[in-house]
């Protein structure tokens, strides 16, 4: 399926879940690895806020792309964020969704507000 780049310059992205290893197989506990580099993959939870609307979603990031200094509730940057539609059949049920992946997750600053009273 096609990968779609996500433009994040107009959004505020807040970390809602700390990085955790991405589990490939829940029965065995096997950790997912990047197909090209073999690097372990991690997932984080974020809230993406843009134009007065927000969405909660998980993002997959290579373990080496997890920066120090991440704080829950704080803004983060997701360089190289892409979305990839997916679909599968599980136990006879058709499932579909969007998977998000970024090259890294780094601390960011809250955007400056305009017209705020001092």
């Amino acid at each position: 399926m096609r990968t779609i780049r996500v433009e994040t310059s107009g959004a505020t992205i807040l970390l809602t879940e700390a990085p955790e290893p991405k589990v490939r197989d829940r029965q065995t506990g096997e950790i997912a690895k990047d197909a090209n580099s073999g690097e372990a993959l991690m997932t984080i939870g974020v809230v993406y806020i843009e134009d007065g609307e927000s969405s909660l979603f998980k993002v997959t990031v290579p373990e080496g792309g997890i920066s120090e200094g991440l704080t829950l509730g704080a803004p983060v940057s997701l360089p190289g964020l892409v979305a990839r539609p997916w679909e599968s059949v599980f136990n006879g049920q058709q499932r579909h969704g969007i998977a998000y992946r970024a090259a890294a997750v780094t601390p960011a600053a809250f955007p400056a507000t305009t017209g705020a009273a001092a």
Side-chain angles (χ1 to χ4, degrees), residues 5-100:
R5 277 181 271 156
V6 179
E7 173 58 48
T8 61
S9 63
T12 299
I13 304 169
L14 305 176
L15 185 65
T16 60
E17 294 178 31
E20 294 181 353
K22 181 173 183 169
V23 178
R24 179 171 190 247
D25 184 331
R26 290 187 179 131
Q27 291 182 350
T28 65
E30 179 186 1
I31 303 301
K33 306 273 186 194
D34 181 270
N36 296 323
S37 71
E39 185 174 12
L41 297 174
M42 307 291 282
T43 59
I44 60 166
V46 298
V47 61
Y48 184 96
I49 306 165
E50 187 174 26
D51 296 332
E53 295 185 16
S54 64
S55 298
L56 287 167
F57 56 86
K58 296 211 183 245
V59 180
T60 299
V61 179
E63 187 173 33
I66 305 290
S67 294
E68 294 292 321
L70 297 174
T71 305
L72 289 179
V76 293
S77 176
L78 297 171
L81 181 62
V82 295
R84 178 177 301 142
W86 61 269
E87 62 181 48
S88 67
V89 176
F90 182 74
N91 288 336
Q93 301 253 348
Q94 182 84 19
R95 299 179 57 184
H96 62 277
I98 300 173
Y100 295 91

